[in-house]
Amino acid sequence: MTFNYLDKIHFPSDLRKLSLIELVTLSTELRNKTIETVSKTGGHLGASLGVVELTIALHFVFNTPRDRLIWDVGHQSYPHKILTGRKNKIETLRQKNGLYGFVKRSESEYDPFGTAHSSTSISAGMGMKIAKDLNKDDAKIICVIGDGALSAGMAYEALNNLGASNKQMIVILNDNEMSIDRPVGAMSNYLTKLLSSKQYTNVRSLLKKISLKFPDPVAKTLYKAEEFSKGLVTGGTLFEELGFYYLGPIDGHDIKTLVPILENIKNLIIDKPIFLHCVTKKGKGYEPAEKSEDKFHGVNKFDVKTGQSLNISNKKTYSSIFGETLSNAAKSDEKIVAITAAMMSGTGLDIFNSQHPSRLFDVGIAEQHAVTMAAGLATEGFKPYVAIYSTFLQRAYDQIVHDVALQKLPVRFAIDRAGLVGADGPTHAGSYDITFLSTLPNFIIMAPSNQNELIRMINTSVLINDRPSAFRYPRATSEVDLTDINIDPIEIGKGIILEEGNNLAILNLGSRLESCKEAMKFLKTYNIYPTLADARFAKPIDKNLVDQLIDSHKYLITIEEGSSGGFSSSILNYIHNERLKTTSTKINNIFFPDRFVDHQSSEDQYEEIGMDAKSITRKIKQIYENNVIDFQSYNKNI
């Protein structure tokens, strides 16, 4: 597809040569380019479509990259990437060695701060502003934060601090939940132009100067009168009370309005930060996205004409199995409640909500609050399930320690997206939850090897009423036949031997079990017959099973989808510090490397770090044959 204007735009400096009318046409082209790109790569489409005009206006008015522009969350940055030197690479988005799906500092000088988790922009921006002031640098700092990201406590901590600092920084709220009808929008746009203009601010400054000539009581009256008059026309806001100069709401899709307002803001000289409220429409300009319930928040590859996904699968995800199983359990147990932090459909809790709407609580992007609220529910005899992606649960670690584990409260944690997550990359990988939870007293930690095991672990967690528990599961589908399943609870801390062998034992934790089984098939072609066991529990570990494997094998290999310090460390600690019987068994551990794994397909990620079936086979063969391998003939056989 060719574009009259976009084809000539390589950097924002090219953009600034256009007229306002040409910018309107450019916005249509940029939106179409974004749709075309994501249809091929998958990704976060709806949020990016909602900020097309705002992106163009910001780069048109401000001198980026000298002026710092921070996107929060970074999934709305696709148009920004296209305009900032990455247009020719945009179709590598989320692909191996390609552009990242969020904002990444190392990718471009136009990306001053990495934003893949939410609600960090204002804090980071304030740090940059302080640095600029110390360096006598008058570059502007602009933070664009979504209304969802503004629901997190960290954003309000930053707003509170920034408002009290009297630093002139710009915060733009991208509000895509509220709609503006034409009369209100037109009036609001007019008032914002007025209030951001030099004439208004000059009058305001004049009032302040005049007030200094009067005694304090009169001065305070004049100042209050000015603030009150502004409140009458703008509605007065929380942001004003926090110390911001509030403007808006304005139509975030009207470039002819956005540009002059941003230019006014750029030239304002006031002793406080500015808060601009823009209203946008998620999925704007693409009918399938606008009609979709989630506005195409996150999509697979799709047909541009119809909006239909090209990756349709009838297999059930672990997330949907969690939602269904918890819903079924809640039918017979009225004490079961579920909590999500703005990820209802992502965690499968939309299924629970459809059947038990009064017992589902979406707290917004507020993981810390979610955990402590669950702790409060647990004190009153309820059975709270907190469903949060592993990478986001990191944000609530203090609450897990202080409010749950220390008080031994039976909060249940459904940890979604455990392990590597493919195209979403290292910011969204579930790498550390085994480690950071295993260090806590009073915790039970489970990891299913397949969907049937997940069902059993959910049913097990319903019965755990004297301490916190967690079960972690991947972003994946499973080959397991769910028509004939075992739903019985599992004995706490009890692993299982799946196949008896000799000399070498594999002790798996989690969903690498299928790769282990495939490796077993390869190994048998070399007359190597390992024992395969599934640990099921990261805590408490099955010490009897460990003893059995050590006592009857020369080699023991553990494998887990997590960082060092997790399951394998617990095994080693038991063997070396608790086990009474000495052992000559050689022990090797397979876990995530001490680095962040770049975005690519999940299959490529696990191959890269040596946790696919072939790599596991190589590792075992190296151990078994004392590192003497004919790799050439070996690879042919595999």
Side-chain angles (χ1 to χ4, degrees):
M1 186 181 294
T2 58
F3 302 99
N4 291 332
Y5 293 103
L6 187 59
D7 286 346
K8 301 172 186 176
I9 304 296
H10 304 289
F11 292 96
S13 56
D14 301 317
L15 175 73
R16 294 167 194 143
K17 300 172 185 176
L18 302 181
S19 67
L20 282 181
I21 294 176
E22 289 172 324
L23 291 181
V24 173
T25 303
L26 175 64
S27 67
T28 299
E29 294 183 357
L30 182 56
R31 179 168 280 108
N32 289 337
K33 179 65 175 177
T34 303
I35 295 168
E36 175 189 316
T37 297
V38 181
S39 73
K40 299 174 182 176
T41 66
H44 293 88
L45 180 61
S48 289
L49 294 182
V51 296
V52 167
E53 289 81 8
L54 181 58
T55 304
I56 291 172
L58 286 167
H59 283 297
F60 181 82
V61 171
F62 292 97
N63 184 26
T64 54
R66 181 176 181 268
D67 290 335
R68 306 302 198 205
L69 176 57
I70 308 172
W71 295 96
D72 187 352
V73 181
H75 59 39
Q76 59 187 327
S77 66
Y78 298 176
H80 161 81
K81 289 176 185 278
I82 293 170
L83 295 178
T84 54
R86 288 166 278 185
K87 179 177 60 181
N88 293 335
K89 294 182 179 180
I90 195 63
E91 290 188 5
T92 70
L93 188 70
R94 294 165 50 86
Q95 313 301 309
K96 185 176 183 179
N97 299 321
L99 297 179
Y100 197 30
F102 303 93
V103 175
K104 188 177 185 180
R105 272 175 52 81
S106 61
E107 191 173 287
S108 170
E109 63 179 334
Y110 288 89
D111 296 351
F113 196 76
T115 49
H117 289 191
S118 79
S119 319
T120 59
S121 60
I122 304 172
S123 297
M126 188 173 179
M128 292 177 190
K129 176 60 178 172
I130 292 170
K132 295 295 184 187
D133 288 349
L134 291 173
N135 288 331
K136 310 298 183 185
D137 184 343
D138 63 355
K140 305 295 184 183
I141 310 294
I142 309 104
C143 303
V144 182
I145 184 167
D147 56 301
L150 201 63
S151 67
M154 183 177 179
Y156 286 96
E157 292 176 24
L159 287 171
N160 183 59
N161 189 206
L162 179 59
S165 72
N166 297 324
K167 294 190 177 297
Q168 189 175 344
M169 197 174 107
I170 302 166
V171 176
I172 299 175
L173 171 60
N174 172 29
D175 181 357
N176 56 34
E177 289 296 326
M178 170 182 164
S179 62
I180 304 177
D181 60 33
R182 289 182 181 177
V184 176
M187 178 58 73
S188 178
N189 290 343
Y190 169 75
L191 290 172
T192 302
K193 282 184 182 179
L194 171 65
L195 295 175
S196 66
S197 67
K198 286 185 178 179
Q199 292 90 336
Y200 179 86
T201 52
N202 286 342
V203 170
R204 191 179 191 200
S205 297
L206 181 62
L207 272 174
K208 288 187 176 180
K209 289 179 181 178
I210 292 173
S211 69
L212 295 175
K213 305 294 184 182
F214 289 90
D216 281 350
V218 178
K220 288 180 180 179
T221 300
L222 281 171
Y223 183 76
K224 285 182 178 179
E226 188 271 338
E227 288 294 320
F228 179 69
S229 64
K230 184 182 177 189
L232 286 177
V233 293
T234 64
T237 68
L238 165 67
F239 306 107
E240 288 280 357
E241 296 301 318
L242 285 172
F244 284 77
Y245 187 85
Y246 174 86
L247 298 166
I250 65 168
D251 184 352
H253 297 298
D254 184 353
I255 283 185
K256 294 179 181 178
T257 295
L258 278 170
V259 168
I261 288 174
L262 290 174
E263 286 177 339
N264 285 340
I265 289 173
K266 179 182 178 181
N267 296 318
L268 276 179
I269 301 176
I270 56 176
D271 59 352
K272 59 171 61 181
I274 298 164
F275 191 100
L276 176 62
H277 183 174
C278 289
V279 176
T280 62
K281 187 175 182 180
K282 198 170 183 179
K284 171 73 174 179
Y286 184 51
E287 188 175 357
E290 291 182 1
K291 290 183 176 180
S292 170
E293 187 174 345
D294 68 350
K295 308 302 178 187
F296 275 38
H297 172 75
V299 293
N300 294 316
K301 298 176 184 180
F302 62 91
D303 182 282
V304 173
K305 292 182 180 179
T306 64
Q308 293 296 312
S309 173
L310 299 178
N311 295 333
I312 298 174
S313 173
N314 293 323
K315 296 178 182 178
K316 288 188 176 181
T317 64
Y318 281 81
S319 302
S320 63
I321 290 296
F322 162 67
E324 291 175 3
T325 305
L326 191 65
S327 296
N328 291 334
K331 291 176 182 177
S332 57
D333 192 335
E334 63 183 13
K335 292 297 184 181
I336 291 176
V337 294
I339 301 168
T340 178
M343 299 299 291
M344 187 188 302
S345 59
T347 58
L349 284 180
D350 52 340
I351 301 170
F352 184 94
N353 185 56
S354 67
Q355 299 182 35
H356 311 284
S358 65
R359 288 192 269 165
L360 186 283
F361 305 94
D362 188 341
V363 301
I365 304 177
E367 292 87 0
Q368 294 169 295
H369 166 59
V371 171
T372 302
M373 188 177 93
L377 279 159
T379 65
E380 296 296 322
F382 279 83
K383 298 180 177 181
Y385 281 78
V386 182
I388 298 179
Y389 292 5
S390 172
T391 182
F392 301 145
L393 191 62
Q394 296 162 187
R395 304 184 124 198
Y397 189 54
D398 179 64
Q399 286 67 34
I400 296 171
V401 176
H402 182 272
D403 300 338
V404 177
L406 185 64
Q407 303 186 71
K408 207 176 180 182
L409 291 171
V411 175
R412 288 89 169 160
F413 292 92
I415 306 176
D416 205 325
R417 286 3 182 223
L420 301 180
V421 291
D424 280 342
T427 57
H428 285 59
S431 305
Y432 309 109
D433 58 88
I434 300 175
T435 300
F436 70 64
L437 291 180
S438 292
T439 62
L440 300 178
N442 304 325
F443 248 92
I444 294 173
I445 306 165
M446 299 172 272
S449 56
N450 57 51
Q451 291 178 324
N452 185 76
E453 286 284 283
L454 174 59
I455 294 170
R456 297 189 67 187
M457 288 176 183
I458 296 169
N459 292 334
T460 301
S461 69
V462 173
L463 304 176
I464 301 173
N465 295 310
D466 61 344
R467 70 195 69 186
S469 60
F471 44 92
R472 66 187 312 263
Y473 46 95
R475 178 186 189 177
T477 57
S478 176
E479 299 291 343
V480 174
D481 182 5
L482 295 172
T483 58
D484 182 22
I485 59 173
N486 180 359
I487 64 173
D488 294 334
I490 302 169
E491 180 182 342
I492 301 298
K494 183 68 173 177
I496 185 173
I497 292 178
L498 300 171
E499 186 172 339
E500 293 276 7
N502 54 59
N503 289 330
L504 185 142
I506 302 171
L507 180 56
N508 168 80
L509 177 75
S511 60
R512 284 291 95 192
L513 184 66
E514 293 305 312
S515 294
C516 291
K517 288 180 177 179
E518 189 176 348
M520 298 270 285
K521 294 177 183 177
F522 292 141
L523 289 165
K524 288 174 183 176
T525 65
Y526 295 95
N527 295 317
I528 299 173
Y529 298 91
T531 292
L532 178 60
D534 185 18
R536 288 175 164 169
F537 291 83
K539 188 172 186 179
I541 62 171
D542 188 340
K543 297 177 182 179
N544 291 331
L545 176 61
V546 173
D547 286 340
Q548 182 179 349
L549 296 177
I550 288 177
D551 291 340
S552 56
H553 297 82
K554 294 180 181 179
Y555 306 97
L556 173 65
I557 293 180
T558 68
I559 182 166
E560 64 189 293
E561 294 173 293
S563 66
S564 63
F567 174 64
S568 62
S569 293
S570 297
I571 296 293
L572 293 174
N573 179 64
Y574 167 68
I575 293 170
H576 294 298
N577 296 314
E578 296 181 34
R579 181 175 146 93
L580 299 177
K581 189 176 179 181
T582 59
T583 179
S584 60
T585 301
K586 295 181 179 180
I587 301 166
N588 290 81
N589 309 118
I590 300 176
F591 48 79
F592 287 177
D594 187 24
R595 62 180 172 84
F596 297 108
V597 182
D598 287 337
H599 66 283
Q600 54 196 300
S601 71
S602 293
E603 293 78 11
D604 286 343
Q605 286 179 324
Y606 281 107
E607 181 180 353
E608 178 185 317
I609 66 173
M611 291 180 71
D612 64 313
K614 291 184 179 181
S615 299
I616 295 169
T617 305
R618 291 188 185 99
K619 177 95 173 178
I620 292 173
K621 204 162 186 292
Q622 283 176 327
I623 294 169
Y624 203 82
E625 298 184 351
N626 297 316
N627 299 313
V628 178
I629 301 178
D630 178 358
F631 277 106
Q632 186 174 3
S633 62
Y634 168 68
N635 285 325
K636 284 181 180 178
N637 279 312
I638 287 187

